Amino acid sequence: MRTFLSVCLILFTALFARAQSEGVSPVYSFSIKKKIEPPFLEIAPGSLRFVDQDGDQAIDANEACAITFSLRNTGQGDGLNLSALLIGTGSTAGVSFAAETPLEKVAVNGTLACRIPVTAGMGTVDGQVEFRLEVEEPNGFNTDIITLDIATRKFAAPQVGVVDHTIYATDGSANLALKRPFTLQLLVQNTGQGPATGVTYNLNHPEGAFITGGDEVGTLGTLAPGETRSLEFDMILNAKYTGTDLPLDLEIKESHGRFASNWSDRFTLNQVLAQQRISIESRPQEITQVQVASLRSDVDKDIPAGLPLNKKKYALIIGNEDYSRYQPGLQSEVNVDYAINDARVFAEYCEKTLGVPRENITLLTDATRGQMSQALAKHERLLEVEKGQAEMIFYYSGHGLPEESTNTPYLIPVDVSGTQPTNGIALMDVYGQLSRHAAQKVVVVLDACFSGGARSKELVAMKAVRVSANVSNVPANLVVLASSSGNEASAVYREKQHGYFTYFLLKELKENKGQAGIRDMMLRIEQNVAREAARIGKVQTPSLMMGPDAETTIPILKF
């Protein structure tokens, strides 16, 4: 027995020693879960810009351009290892850009300014490029895809040369002669259809001919199509000049090195000189006009001056667009596309065209119920203190909803659920606050429907069919311009980046500089909106409503 125990002890000792020498450890299994703190990335609304050298908002051949935007992170974690993905389709010939651009880190609540270069070569063609822009995040928390349409232009060649010339006497001499001063005048013009850049010249002359005034070598810079420049050289021939004529030539160059023509001529001695210089009037050459796409609509640009400023005129303007941000669980489709652009551009028209001082304009975007209530209360007080002398414009673009049992219409702030419209701002309360005190006039503009319809998707699925909310009970001296009638929805004019109603309203204000009467404007707006809505299979009929006190003035009433 002792022998057996001894053998076992020896074997155990040997196995233990071997295990230690081979470093064998027990095997354990672990389950480690990494905590994910995702970023929430978005291209900040209104930040997307196309930047080009000449400012014509098109990708011209041989032009350096860029797409710029602000990337915002409102999530729980930093945005790391990000890339801007850019896909271009359409007329991409000659257009170069990086399909993937690495971006820097975007910290929580941070913003990053981003720039994607776009260049165009000589092979660029006339057409349009559709860019699809997205910021990629490694864990799949990408931004929404934004589409940007930009016109492309093929290379338009300039053609620079001397199109006319003369020599004239500066001392009363009748003929070109030795030791008599004269002036050579050359008219240089770009007769091509593209701008000529880096234009230079050099006047060559024989020995014995001297330039006493004017630059023998000079720079003309850029010549637009049709643009002319007059060059003048004061000259004299000395007594040693032996030629019977005077050969002169002008070398002209431009940046491409192949779109300029040199000039030369020979002037016979003793030829008759003109007695004075010719007066040159530069007349632009007519060239083919190209319709250029833009990030902004035609009504957003060149807003005209109109009515004189009125210190007692006020405007409250609200554009409610992004409901999904303020109400978790809502999809972006419920947002009111371009409502903020509606409001911002209408505010510009108020200031520049409708005579509202800038300090009298209140612009709210994505307004909460509290903000809307406070702004209405402020403007009610302004109407009161002006003691009947004030003029007021109230503009709203956003969701409207009815209370189904009574058909009472409500304006819906971005923080109010569509399932509880009575938590919004009752339209009749808006009418009441704006009519409670005497005023010269109050104009209400509503680019919203109150039937449960919407520009893209309803804020809430209605329990029944669309209802005809009662919006026509207009009190006192109010005049109301509404984007739709009855149970219609108000549509969006995507090509123009506005609601249909707002676009054609702004178009009227631009064309008439605020001078047209409201009734005449609404007749044209109604026809234009109905026509364009019908093109996309919708029915939308703007309407004009007024209180009893306004009925006598509406035939001549303006904004």
Side-chain angles (χ1 to χ4, degrees):
M1 178 64 69
R2 178 176 299 178
T3 301
F4 176 77
L5 291 176
S6 299
V7 171
C8 290
L9 180 60
I10 293 170
L11 288 173
F12 177 78
T13 303
L15 290 171
F16 180 77
R18 180 181 177 185
Q20 283 193 322
S21 65
E22 293 181 357
V24 176
S25 299
V27 178
Y28 299 93
S29 62
F30 297 91
S31 177
I32 301 175
K33 293 184 178 179
K34 184 178 179 181
K35 181 181 179 182
I36 300 297
E37 294 183 335
F40 180 80
L41 303 172
E42 64 172 344
I43 296 174
S47 70
L48 187 64
R49 295 286 185 273
F50 171 69
V51 182
D52 61 328
Q53 288 177 310
D54 59 10
D56 66 356
Q57 292 293 282
I59 302 173
D60 300 318
N62 293 331
E63 185 177 39
C65 313
I67 295 173
T68 65
F69 60 93
S70 295
L71 181 63
R72 190 161 60 189
N73 180 8
T74 57
Q76 300 173 353
D78 296 339
L80 304 173
N81 301 318
L82 308 176
S83 295
L85 306 183
L86 189 65
I87 299 174
T89 57
S91 305
T92 57
V95 180
S96 301
F97 55 90
E100 183 174 352
T101 302
L103 301 178
E104 297 178 7
K105 164 187 170 181
V106 185
V108 176
N109 296 322
T111 301
L112 177 67
C114 305
R115 180 183 180 89
I116 303 176
V118 177
T119 59
M122 289 287 284
T124 304
V125 299
D126 284 338
Q128 194 163 358
V129 174
E130 179 184 273
F131 286 112
R132 290 170 59 84
L133 173 64
E134 176 186 15
V135 175
E136 182 181 56
E137 195 272 340
N139 292 312
F141 297 101
N142 298 4
T143 63
D144 292 336
I145 296 175
I146 295 181
T147 301
L148 181 64
D149 294 324
I150 305 174
T152 59
R153 286 180 174 178
K154 69 179 181 181
F155 178 70
Q159 188 58 55
V160 184
V162 174
V163 293
D164 199 4
H165 69 272
T166 187
I167 56 172
Y168 64 90
T170 55
D171 66 346
S173 300
N175 300 316
L176 178 63
L178 303 181
K179 299 186 294 182
R180 293 290 186 181
F182 64 93
T183 297
L184 169 68
Q185 184 179 9
L186 303 173
L187 182 62
V188 179
Q189 184 177 26
N190 175 12
T191 57
Q193 294 205 4
T197 59
V199 180
T200 61
Y201 67 85
N202 180 22
L203 181 67
N204 298 312
H205 53 85
E207 187 176 353
F210 295 87
I211 297 178
T212 60
D215 296 324
E216 185 174 344
V217 177
T219 299
L220 297 181
T222 299
L223 292 179
E227 186 176 0
T228 59
R229 300 283 179 85
S230 178
L231 299 177
E232 296 187 20
F233 306 93
D234 297 329
M235 303 185 70
I236 193 168
L237 301 175
N238 66 12
K240 295 181 179 181
Y241 188 79
T242 58
T244 58
D245 59 18
L246 173 63
L248 297 171
D249 68 81
L250 188 77
E251 292 182 77
I252 306 176
K253 297 180 180 179
E254 49 78 46
S255 59
H256 297 289
R258 52 186 173 135
F259 300 110
S261 301
N262 295 334
W263 168 87
S264 64
D265 205 347
R266 305 180 79 91
F267 301 94
T268 304
L269 266 61
N270 296 317
Q271 76 176 61
V272 176
L273 297 176
Q275 293 304 302
Q276 60 184 4
R277 70 188 297 271
I278 57 175
S279 177
I280 305 299
E281 181 181 357
S282 176
R283 295 182 179 178
Q285 173 192 356
E286 291 197 8
I287 62 175
T288 302
Q289 298 298 316
V290 179
Q291 184 67 38
V292 181
S294 174
L295 285 173
R296 304 196 78 194
S297 166
D298 57 317
V299 297
D300 297 0
K301 301 179 292 185
D302 303 321
I303 298 173
L307 303 177
L309 287 179
N310 179 353
K311 293 184 178 180
K312 296 182 181 295
K313 195 170 188 178
Y314 299 88
L316 172 55
I317 302 165
I318 301 171
N320 283 350
E321 178 172 328
D322 194 349
Y323 288 77
S324 61
R325 173 175 297 184
Y326 290 84
Q327 300 183 48
L330 289 182
Q331 297 178 336
S332 60
E333 287 85 356
V334 306
N335 294 335
V336 182
D337 295 340
Y338 307 118
I340 289 178
N341 194 45
D342 284 345
R344 285 175 175 165
V345 179
F346 187 81
E348 290 188 62
Y349 274 86
C350 283
E351 179 184 352
K352 297 176 181 178
T353 308
L354 299 180
V356 185
R358 178 179 297 181
E359 61 272 17
N360 289 4
I361 298 174
T362 300
L363 172 62
L364 300 179
T365 58
D366 288 342
T368 64
R369 190 187 193 287
Q371 291 170 331
M372 290 176 64
S373 298
Q374 291 172 8
L376 282 164
K378 181 183 82 170
H379 284 76
E380 180 185 350
R381 174 60 179 161
L382 288 169
L383 288 169
E384 180 182 10
V385 298
E386 294 292 2
K387 300 186 183 301
Q389 299 302 308
E391 296 183 16
M392 175 68 69
I393 299 173
F394 175 84
Y395 174 92
Y396 176 80
S397 179
H399 271 301
L401 281 175
E403 196 285 311
E404 287 189 86
S405 62
T406 62
N407 289 356
T408 301
Y410 286 83
L411 306 182
I412 306 300
V414 293
D415 61 343
V416 169
S417 170
T419 60
Q420 297 175 310
T422 55
N423 288 339
I425 307 291
L427 183 59
M428 298 310 161
D429 290 345
V430 175
Y431 289 168
Q433 287 183 269
L434 297 179
S435 63
R436 188 163 290 134
H437 304 286
Q440 291 292 316
K441 61 184 173 186
V442 178
V443 179
V444 176
V445 181
L446 302 171
D447 197 341
C449 59
F450 299 91
S451 62
R455 290 188 180 180
S456 296
K457 184 178 179 181
E458 290 84 351
L459 187 60
V460 61
M462 302 303 294
K463 296 176 182 177
V465 297
R466 290 176 181 169
V467 298
S468 180
N470 181 13
V471 299
S472 60
N473 188 18
V474 180
N477 64 339
L478 264 65
V479 176
V480 179
L481 287 67
S483 62
S484 55
S485 303
N487 61 358
E488 299 170 354
S490 294
V492 59
Y493 202 168
R494 297 194 179 279
E495 293 85 349
K496 303 297 184 180
Q497 302 178 18
H498 286 291
Y500 273 113
F501 176 66
T502 293
Y503 171 76
F504 284 108
L505 171 60
L506 297 178
K507 192 172 182 67
E508 283 288 328
L509 294 176
K510 182 174 184 177
E511 292 178 352
N512 298 296
K513 300 180 180 179
Q515 302 292 338
I518 289 177
R519 171 166 284 172
D520 291 339
M521 287 175 54
M522 282 297 290
L523 288 173
R524 292 187 290 269
I525 292 170
E526 178 182 344
Q527 183 179 24
N528 288 326
V529 170
R531 180 190 303 114
E532 294 303 321
R535 294 185 195 277
I536 60 173
K538 293 182 178 291
V539 176
Q540 182 177 345
T541 311
S543 58
L544 175 64
M545 299 165 285
M546 66 206 75
D549 295 345
E551 291 182 352
T552 57
T553 61
I554 191 61
I556 59 172
L557 186 66
K558 301 178 182 179
F559 264 94

